[in-house]
Amino acid sequence: MLQSSSSIVHVSMLTFYAILFVVTLATIASTLATFPLFPLQLDSIEWSNKWLGTTVIDYYGACLCFSGVVISSEDSYVRGFLWVLSFNMLGSPFCCLWVLVRIYRGRHLRLESRRHLDFESH
């Protein structure tokens, strides 16, 4: 029995984001258990390095989630991919720029359900 390509993409996305959830949650939980955030231990290199690594993983976890929304929202996958590259290589200023450009072009930031879109197209 063959699965449709949209079903495979759906399962792949669920799997990817489930793994991303587990990795980011486990990283933050492990760091909190080993090196509590408070009291701040700014004089400890080990504490600082662990929290720096955790922050990087946390940023990219959030960035990859945002990237999925952007790729799904752009009219062109190429444009979406270029935005995603800028987010992941150049950081949050380009995430903000995407939001500004989207609002400037008169689009909203609201995520719409498929049912809502199907209703409007009929």
Side-chain angles (χ1 to χ4, degrees):
M1 179 182 232
L2 295 173
Q3 290 184 323
S4 71
S5 65
S6 66
S7 176
I8 292 170
V9 169
H10 183 77
V11 170
S12 298
M13 287 189 308
L14 279 172
T15 303
F16 174 78
Y17 286 110
I19 291 169
L20 184 61
F21 169 75
V22 169
V23 167
T24 56
L25 182 64
T27 300
I28 293 169
S30 170
T31 301
L32 280 169
T34 311
F35 298 95
L37 188 56
F38 297 106
L40 297 178
Q41 300 173 37
L42 302 178
D43 56 339
S44 168
I45 300 255
E46 190 177 16
W47 183 91
S48 297
N49 283 340
K50 187 64 172 177
W51 274 106
L52 175 62
T54 299
T55 302
V56 169
I57 289 170
D58 186 43
Y59 170 78
Y60 281 105
C63 193
L64 289 171
C65 291
F66 184 58
S67 295
V69 172
V70 169
I71 288 175
S72 299
S73 300
E74 284 295 321
D75 296 332
S76 155
Y77 284 119
V78 172
R79 186 180 308 131
F81 182 72
L82 291 174
W83 276 113
V84 166
L85 278 178
S86 70
F87 302 162
N88 287 279
M89 295 175 69
L90 302 170
S92 59
F94 283 83
C95 296
C96 295
L97 182 60
W98 181 84
V99 170
L100 288 168
V101 168
R102 186 154 175 96
I103 292 169
Y104 179 78
R105 290 182 177 161
R107 295 186 175 175
H108 55 74
L109 296 177
R110 177 180 63 241
L111 296 176
E112 296 179 309
S113 70
R114 184 167 174 71
R115 185 175 351 146
H116 178 73
L117 293 174
D118 289 344
F119 178 75
E120 284 185 356
S121 66
H122 286 77

